[in-house]
Amino acid sequence: MSGQGLTVRVARWSALRPWRAMGLWLVFVVACAVVGGLAGTRQATMIDLGTGESGRAARVAHDHGVAEPAGENVLITARRGTLDQADATRAAAEVARRMRGLPEVAAVGEPARSPGGGALLLPVTMSGDPETAPGRVDPLLERTRAVQDAHPGLRIEQAGDASVQKGLTELILRELLRADMFGLPITLLILLVTFGALVAAGVPLLLAVTAVVGAVGLTGLVSHLVPMYDSATSMTMLMGLAVGVDYSLFYLRREREERARGHDHLAAVEIAAATSGRSVVVSALAVIVSMAGLFLAGHVTFTSLATAAIIVVAVAMLGSVTVLPAVLAKLGPRVDRPRVPLVGRLTATRENPRLWPALLRPALRHPAATLLVSVLALGALSAPALGLDLRPTTADELPRAIPAMRTYDRLTAAFPGRSTSHLVVVRAPAASAGEVGRALTRLAERTAGDALFAPAGTGVRASADRRVHTLRLASPYDTNSRQVRDALRKLRGELVPGTAGRVPGAEHRVGGAAADSHDFGARLEERLPLVIGFVLLSRS
């Protein structure tokens, strides 16, 4: 057995030196966790998430310091009945006073009353990089809560891009923790039913958990090369538990069967390594190659998810073929203890199984019919993917479990009239700054009488070096509406090339929420066939 492949040689070495193998695995996991924790995880910013022309426009504006600052809104309404205008005005003044003393605040605007008089809105402009605003919005939220405590008769709340993003991150972490609290006991229960013994059920779970811990640390290190999307941690946890348990189950089940046939624990481990161990390696490599296809999508969301999945699958595979043989060799027959009453008797490896042969018998007798039924069933399950909506999530689709989103709903109800902004970014030599400014002014004038656009833009902004100019225009429609798509098409195809595009040496791009949505969907539609083709070819 010892000459049959790398997996057998590694398993034999681990089985003969179990304490050393387990110690090395523990050192590896702890080192990954500590080093990854010290390095921290670089989260993908909105600039990283940009795609196509809109992504380049946002990056140019950000790098030259003319990106729109992060804005927050403090909404004041009555908890019940009619809003007391005097009390609301005093509360707004107190919020403004507290906010102006914060280094995170650049300016506080004048309060605005809603058309019906039932709400008061106080705009706040944050200082610093808007990309880091979610991590710096806490002091503003604390001031808002303090004023709320001082005015119990009013509802004083805050909403904005930074507070919404912060709430979304907290919700994801909270739901992930809740999933773990339910998932781990359920997984343990399934393993108890599968193996009928507490130790045998605990070994795969322990390996999966340690693999996840190690993978999280490694992902933190790699994130400084590939920034991680928010859901990457969820991917690591879910994939790690799934493959960690799955790979261990293959190995452990085969080792128990070989011991039941009379082999000693070392021979049983070697046979399991030669069969199940090889299957684990092949399965893991297939998953890794398939996930690598997501790199072809050319978007940081899929790149980070693929990276997280590849790392955790590789770590789980490494643990399955190294430390698992050591654990099984050390435990020996004790892995089947303590037996779970009744369940342990039903899952005993010496008994001939009846369930699986009965389920497989029809498929083995009628393979063609089984193939046809399987293909039809898979086709029916995959049919909804044909109507997949390839665009980023808008505010209307975010969960209302986020407090800031409930505030957002009350804000839009009090101040009706939705709009979507388009950001025109022009980069040209500093000597052409005056000409660029005049071209953007003409662009704003040409959109003034167009029903696809709001009456006026925000004015032309110039970078400190006068090389980049921006103009923000609005469309009075929802982000994914037909009118907004028409406005974007008109800007890119006619208005911007006819104004800023005529400046010699100028580069022009159109970004904004609508452009982000359009470019994201276009990128996925372009790259999806490549991803699917790569996965199919890699598995053939």
Side-chain angles (χ1 to χ4, degrees):
M1 282 292 175
S2 60
Q4 292 186 8
L6 181 61
T7 56
V8 176
R9 293 197 297 272
V10 171
R12 182 176 180 83
W13 185 91
S14 298
L16 293 175
R17 302 166 183 83
W19 289 116
R20 188 179 301 179
M22 288 186 284
L24 288 174
W25 175 253
L26 183 61
V27 169
F28 169 74
V29 171
V30 172
C32 290
V34 171
V35 175
L38 292 175
T41 300
R42 179 191 165 199
Q43 296 291 340
T45 64
M46 294 304 296
I47 297 298
D48 295 319
L49 295 170
T51 308
E53 181 178 339
S54 61
R56 291 190 293 273
R59 183 166 293 280
V60 169
H62 176 269
D63 292 346
H64 287 79
V66 287
E68 288 290 313
E72 291 289 303
N73 297 286
V74 178
L75 181 67
I76 303 174
T77 55
R79 288 199 173 275
R80 58 184 66 86
T82 305
L83 178 67
D84 186 322
Q85 296 294 334
D87 196 13
T89 301
R90 285 192 295 271
E94 187 175 347
V95 172
R97 179 180 59 80
R98 290 173 179 262
M99 292 286 189
R100 288 192 181 103
L102 294 174
E104 294 84 4
V105 173
V108 179
E110 293 298 320
R113 267 187 191 82
S114 64
L120 200 64
L121 184 66
L122 184 70
V124 180
T125 302
M126 293 186 66
S127 60
D129 188 347
E131 295 298 318
T132 63
R136 298 182 289 108
V137 76
D138 265 337
L140 283 73
L141 294 169
E142 291 172 2
R143 299 306 189 275
T144 302
R145 285 192 291 266
V147 178
Q148 170 65 89
D149 294 340
H151 297 267
L154 299 173
R155 181 188 285 116
I156 304 172
E157 50 194 346
Q158 182 177 324
D161 288 343
S163 52
V164 168
Q165 184 60 44
K166 173 182 168 58
L168 180 61
T169 301
E170 292 176 347
L171 177 65
I172 291 173
L173 293 176
R174 189 165 58 248
E175 292 300 320
L176 182 61
L177 179 61
R178 183 180 302 175
D180 292 339
M181 292 178 62
F182 284 100
L184 288 176
I186 292 174
T187 302
L188 180 60
L189 179 62
I190 294 172
L191 290 171
L192 282 173
V193 173
T194 301
F195 291 114
L198 184 60
V199 173
V203 168
L205 199 58
L206 181 62
L207 178 67
V209 170
T210 55
V212 167
V213 172
V216 168
L218 286 177
T219 303
L221 287 176
V222 176
S223 70
H224 294 278
L225 298 175
V226 180
M228 291 293 121
Y229 188 58
D230 290 339
S231 301
T233 302
S234 303
M235 175 69 81
T236 300
M237 299 289 288
L238 297 175
M239 286 284 290
L241 286 176
V243 299
V245 168
D246 197 28
Y247 296 164
S248 302
L249 192 149
F250 286 164
Y251 214 111
L252 179 55
R253 187 78 181 180
R254 185 57 186 267
E255 189 270 347
R256 294 174 82 218
E257 290 174 352
E258 296 304 324
R259 279 194 294 103
R261 293 190 177 106
H263 292 98
D264 60 56
H265 66 276
L266 181 57
V269 166
E270 288 187 309
I271 295 173
T275 53
S276 296
R278 183 177 181 277
S279 298
V280 165
V281 173
V282 172
S283 174
L285 292 177
V287 174
I288 288 172
V289 171
S290 297
M291 295 303 298
L294 290 178
F295 289 117
L296 296 176
H299 193 274
V300 71
T301 300
F302 303 104
T303 300
S304 63
L305 293 177
T307 301
I310 288 171
I311 289 174
V312 75
V313 169
V315 172
M317 176 190 70
L318 180 65
S320 298
V321 299
T322 57
V323 72
L324 184 57
V327 173
L328 296 180
K330 192 64 182 175
L331 290 173
R334 292 190 297 274
V335 76
D336 294 323
R337 302 172 187 167
R339 305 291 295 180
V340 179
L342 183 61
V343 175
R345 192 175 306 163
L346 292 174
T347 59
T349 55
R350 287 188 176 86
E351 296 181 9
N352 293 323
R354 297 182 180 179
L355 177 62
W356 294 114
L359 292 175
L360 291 173
R361 195 172 296 118
L364 295 175
R365 288 178 177 174
H366 308 285
T370 302
L371 177 62
L372 178 61
V373 171
S374 300
V375 170
L376 292 176
L378 291 173
L381 290 173
S382 60
L386 297 175
L388 194 63
D389 195 353
L390 301 177
R391 57 181 173 83
T393 303
T394 63
D396 290 335
E397 295 152 351
L398 290 174
R400 265 45 191 176
I402 303 172
M405 287 310 303
R406 297 194 293 272
T407 303
Y408 169 83
D409 288 338
R410 283 188 281 268
L411 191 154
T412 53
F415 295 86
R418 299 175 179 234
S419 66
T420 299
S421 62
H422 307 276
L423 181 67
V424 181
V425 180
V426 181
R427 179 164 58 185
S432 303
E435 192 173 356
V436 171
R438 289 190 293 272
L440 290 179
T441 300
R442 288 196 302 273
L443 172 60
E445 292 171 351
R446 290 182 62 177
T447 62
D450 194 324
L452 294 175
F453 299 93
T458 58
V460 178
R461 300 181 64 194
S463 62
D465 60 6
R466 295 173 57 81
R467 294 178 58 232
V468 174
H469 292 71
T470 64
L471 172 66
R472 188 170 290 275
L473 302 169
S475 293
Y477 306 101
D478 291 340
T479 300
N480 294 299
S481 64
R482 177 186 57 79
Q483 294 91 337
V484 166
R485 291 195 297 271
D486 290 344
L488 176 64
R489 192 179 303 112
K490 191 170 185 177
L491 279 172
R492 286 181 169 177
E494 174 187 343
L495 297 178
V496 176
T499 53
R502 296 184 181 275
V503 178
E507 303 172 5
H508 56 82
R509 299 178 178 93
V510 179
D516 285 339
S517 180
H518 174 274
D519 293 344
F520 180 81
R523 172 65 63 85
L524 290 190
E525 288 179 359
E526 174 191 348
R527 299 296 183 89
L528 190 59
L530 293 176
V531 175
I532 295 175
F534 175 85
V535 173
L536 292 177
L537 289 174
S538 67
R539 301 301 292 269
S540 62

